Amino acid sequence: RMHRAPLNAMPQTLTNTQPAVLARRAGGVFMQEAPFWDNVARFVRFFISIVTGLILGLLSPIVGAFGRSPALAAIGVALAVGVVVFLYITLQVMQQTPLDVEQLQQVEPSVQSMMKELYGP
């Protein structure tokens, strides 16, 4: 069996540190003490720096490989320009209005006859 000390044997300093006593001493929490929007802005800056560091960390081996010689650098620049042009053209085509199926059939009668042969009238 464990021996328990009686309550009156506890040191007096522990009885004064009860939560209610500490709360009265501290007072209320005001917005000056807890700047919510400053913390939100700090987290946004932290997220941006983490994503930037991740992208730079992932791209550094690729950039390092293409930076070894002028010929590899030219190939790297050509690949980068090609990727940008491909993305630009893809986004431009995605913004166009879609073609109507009936217009396609009117323009290309061979497609219509081929579809009739394959799937019937």
Side-chain angles (χ1 to χ4, degrees):
R1 271 179 90 141
M2 294 181 61
H3 175 66
R4 292 187 185 180
L7 291 177
N8 57 4
M10 291 276 195
Q12 292 298 322
T13 56
L14 292 178
T15 58
N16 290 336
T17 59
Q18 295 174 357
V21 173
L22 293 175
R24 277 196 304 266
R25 286 183 190 167
V29 175
F30 300 104
M31 281 307 284
Q32 292 84 10
E33 295 174 357
F36 176 74
W37 293 111
D38 289 340
N39 288 335
V40 170
R42 238 183 265 145
F43 282 121
V44 170
R45 286 191 304 247
F46 177 71
F47 176 74
I48 290 170
S49 66
I50 290 295
V51 170
T52 304
L54 179 67
I55 291 171
L56 289 175
L58 291 174
L59 290 180
S60 64
I62 298 170
V63 171
F66 285 113
R68 292 183 185 158
S69 70
L72 287 175
I75 292 171
V77 169
L79 283 174
V81 169
V83 167
V84 170
V85 168
F86 174 76
L87 288 174
Y88 177 77
I89 291 172
T90 302
L91 292 175
Q92 290 298 319
V93 170
M94 288 173 67
Q95 290 179 350
Q96 293 177 356
T97 57
L99 295 174
D100 193 15
V101 176
E102 292 176 5
Q103 288 177 349
L104 279 177
Q105 290 174 351
Q106 292 172 359
V107 172
E108 192 67 45
S110 64
V111 172
Q112 187 176 11
S113 64
M114 181 183 70
M115 295 300 281
K116 284 183 182 179
E117 289 176 10
L118 290 174
Y119 298 109

